[in-house]
Amino acid sequence: MLNYLENTKIKQKMSDFIQHAVRQNDLQKLLLEFTDIKNEFPFGQLAYQHYEAFGGQDEQAITKLAAGVELLILSADILDDIEDQDNDSYPWMNVNQGVAVNAATYLYTVSIQFITSICENNSQLIEKLFHFIKMSMEGQHEDLSHLYGTEEECVEVLRKKSGSLTALSSVLGVYLATRKMNATVESYSIYYGVAEQISNDFFALFSKTNGDFQKKQTLAFSYLQRHFNDVSLELLSFFSNRLDESEQKPFQLKQKLLEAGLTQYMVSMREIMLLKMKQGIAQLDLPKTKKEQLYAYMTKEGND
């Protein structure tokens, strides 16, 4: 499991690569500012966990891969925030947006260069890397364009947009260790990504600064739109800002979500995804202890 020291190594590797790859001083300074705010590396950790589980032992190589994956994810996060006009506290939301888009595109490009430099004769890696990137971008397009409405369609967008990026991290970690693509790892990692996004979307309901519920056809929004009860209508009104914020305190919102059945629904959907993930992990050709460690890490059991 990645400890503080190993996280520090990933962050340092990200900074080192930017300083080496980016020759334009102002752009380099801006990208270092963007990366400096990162202190958690869940996608790099996911690559590391799978690399270790499948017998990888080259710490330098996996640290490099983890850093490259995190740079790629950061570029996607920056573009996502700009497209949604969300998360004003981040530095890329407080500079000229054209400059931020160009910096994110540059970061996207050099992160791919960084990742593909790790393995020799890596045509499989490159093909799979772009497969996941394109899938995520398709999901983002559907998200931004509201090309879905039902709960099933929402889950499919989560599978593409979020599941593809978790799969990218896991699959590349396994590839670095074994030089083979693993379809089982890809499948259950997508379920894991959907489960994590469902959690994020639920907790975002309590955030005053997150506007995704109003801007997007989220899974929670699709559920409430089915109008199972009067409380669903109250919540739709609340999230559309038609009720004065003082009329709904946080603890009342929690109660309303329970009364509407939304909390139970989101928890159940997440548990379904985690069950499918667990079934996938069970199919791996690995020692039982390794499979248990992967499951414990991905469900946060025993994590610090």
Side-chain angles (χ1 to χ4, degrees):
M1 189 171 295
L2 286 184
N3 56 32
Y4 173 79
L5 177 61
E6 288 161 333
N7 276 332
T8 302
K9 288 180 180 178
I10 292 177
K11 186 167 186 173
Q12 186 62 53
K13 183 67 72 173
M14 293 167 67
S15 297
D16 290 347
F17 178 71
I18 289 173
Q19 292 178 54
H20 174 77
V22 185
R23 300 302 182 187
Q24 210 290 327
N25 290 335
D26 189 67
L27 179 59
Q28 181 188 108
K29 180 181 177 182
L30 186 64
L31 289 175
L32 287 173
E33 182 183 353
F34 290 176
T35 59
D36 188 56
I37 69 166
K38 286 185 68 67
N39 293 304
E40 297 181 354
F41 307 95
F43 292 91
Q45 289 177 2
L46 198 57
Y48 184 96
Q49 291 295 322
H50 281 82
Y51 178 77
E52 187 179 63
F54 280 80
Q57 298 180 348
D58 187 338
E59 183 179 347
Q60 184 175 358
I62 186 54
T63 301
K64 185 175 180 181
L65 175 63
V69 168
E70 286 290 348
L71 288 171
L72 178 63
I73 299 299
L74 178 59
S75 71
D77 286 343
I78 294 170
L79 291 171
D80 185 68
D81 287 341
I82 293 171
E83 289 159 356
D84 294 338
Q85 285 299 294
D86 203 4
N87 294 318
D88 291 341
S89 62
Y90 289 146
W92 47 84
M93 300 302 294
N94 295 298
V95 298
N96 177 282
Q97 294 296 269
V99 171
V101 168
N102 184 68
T105 306
Y106 189 98
L107 186 62
Y108 163 81
T109 304
V110 296
S111 65
I112 292 175
Q113 178 188 16
F114 192 29
I115 292 170
T116 56
S117 68
I118 298 169
C119 301
E120 296 180 359
N121 302 318
N122 58 359
S123 59
Q124 271 191 308
L125 181 146
I126 294 173
E127 181 180 354
K128 186 59 72 171
L129 175 64
F130 281 110
H131 165 74
F132 289 131
I133 291 172
K134 289 188 293 182
M135 185 188 299
S136 180
M137 288 180 169
E138 287 176 9
Q140 176 71 345
H141 175 78
E142 292 171 3
D143 202 10
L144 292 169
S145 302
H146 306 289
L147 298 179
Y148 57 97
T150 68
E151 292 157 47
E152 292 77 11
E153 290 169 336
C154 287
V155 171
E156 178 61 16
V157 169
L158 294 181
R159 188 187 73 82
K160 288 181 178 180
K161 184 179 174 181
S162 302
S164 61
L165 297 180
T166 50
L168 180 154
S169 306
S170 301
V171 168
L172 294 192
V174 173
Y175 182 82
L176 183 61
T178 66
R179 293 302 190 272
K180 295 178 181 178
M181 293 298 167
N182 192 304
T184 301
V185 170
E186 177 177 346
S187 178
Y188 73 65
S189 295
I190 289 175
Y191 289 126
Y192 173 65
V194 174
E196 289 293 282
Q197 193 58 51
I198 288 173
S199 290
N200 293 341
D201 288 349
F202 179 73
F203 287 113
L205 297 176
F206 298 91
S207 171
K208 297 178 181 178
T209 59
N210 189 301
D212 277 1
F213 191 91
Q214 292 96 323
K215 298 171 186 176
K216 300 181 181 181
Q217 189 86 2
T218 62
L219 185 60
F221 187 65
S222 295
Y223 175 85
L224 292 177
Q225 279 194 313
R226 294 174 67 179
H227 299 168
F228 288 116
N229 50 42
D230 291 341
V231 183
S232 296
L233 295 174
E234 291 181 42
L235 285 167
L236 286 170
S237 181
F238 170 71
F239 287 119
S240 297
N241 292 323
R242 289 196 293 269
L243 291 179
D244 186 87
E245 189 175 340
S246 64
E247 296 179 19
Q248 289 262 20
K249 299 300 182 182
F251 71 92
Q252 291 176 316
L253 174 58
K254 183 178 180 180
Q255 182 61 33
K256 291 291 185 182
L257 293 172
L258 284 167
E259 291 174 8
L262 180 58
T263 300
Q264 299 90 321
Y265 172 72
M266 297 291 276
V267 169
S268 296
M269 288 296 293
R270 181 176 185 271
E271 289 301 314
I272 289 170
M273 297 302 156
L274 291 179
L275 176 60
K276 292 181 178 180
M277 181 194 81
K278 184 177 184 179
Q279 291 170 340
I281 292 175
Q283 296 173 13
L284 294 175
D285 185 19
L286 290 176
K288 182 180 179 181
T289 54
K290 293 293 185 181
K291 291 189 282 190
E292 289 174 345
Q293 288 170 8
L294 276 177
Y295 181 76
Y297 172 76
M298 295 170 80
T299 54
K300 308 299 186 289
E301 295 178 3
N303 285 15
D304 294 333

